[in-house]
Amino acid sequence: MVKILEMIGLALVAIMTLGFVGVFIPYGIDKGITELFWGCAGVALMIIIYRKIKNKKEEKEN
């Protein structure tokens, strides 16, 4: 599960970076800080928070 979350997070960061520099302009997505950027950043942040909560829960159990 951890490896899957890391891969998803890495893909989100890559998409966020590509969207920021303007690679997706031919598809109608503007470059810069757009909804794509904030959406990817939000999901990546949720993954980080989820993993942190899960690690704290595992530490309490041990």
Side-chain angles (χ1 to χ4, degrees):
M1 177 77 169
V2 173
K3 293 292 182 187
I4 293 172
L5 287 176
E6 288 178 2
M7 296 302 280
I8 292 171
L10 182 63
L12 287 169
V13 169
I15 291 170
M16 185 171 59
T17 303
L18 292 173
F20 185 76
V21 298
V23 173
F24 299 123
I25 289 175
Y27 301 107
I29 299 173
D30 294 331
K31 70 177 186 174
I33 299 179
T34 61
E35 294 84 15
L36 174 74
F37 179 87
W38 289 114
C40 290
V43 174
L45 181 63
M46 288 189 325
I47 289 172
I48 292 168
I49 292 170
Y50 172 76
R51 288 191 60 207
K52 191 170 194 171
I53 291 171
K54 189 170 181 171
N55 286 339
K56 282 186 179 181
K57 186 185 265 188
E58 287 177 2
E59 287 179 5
K60 277 187 174 181
E61 291 175 357
N62 292 332

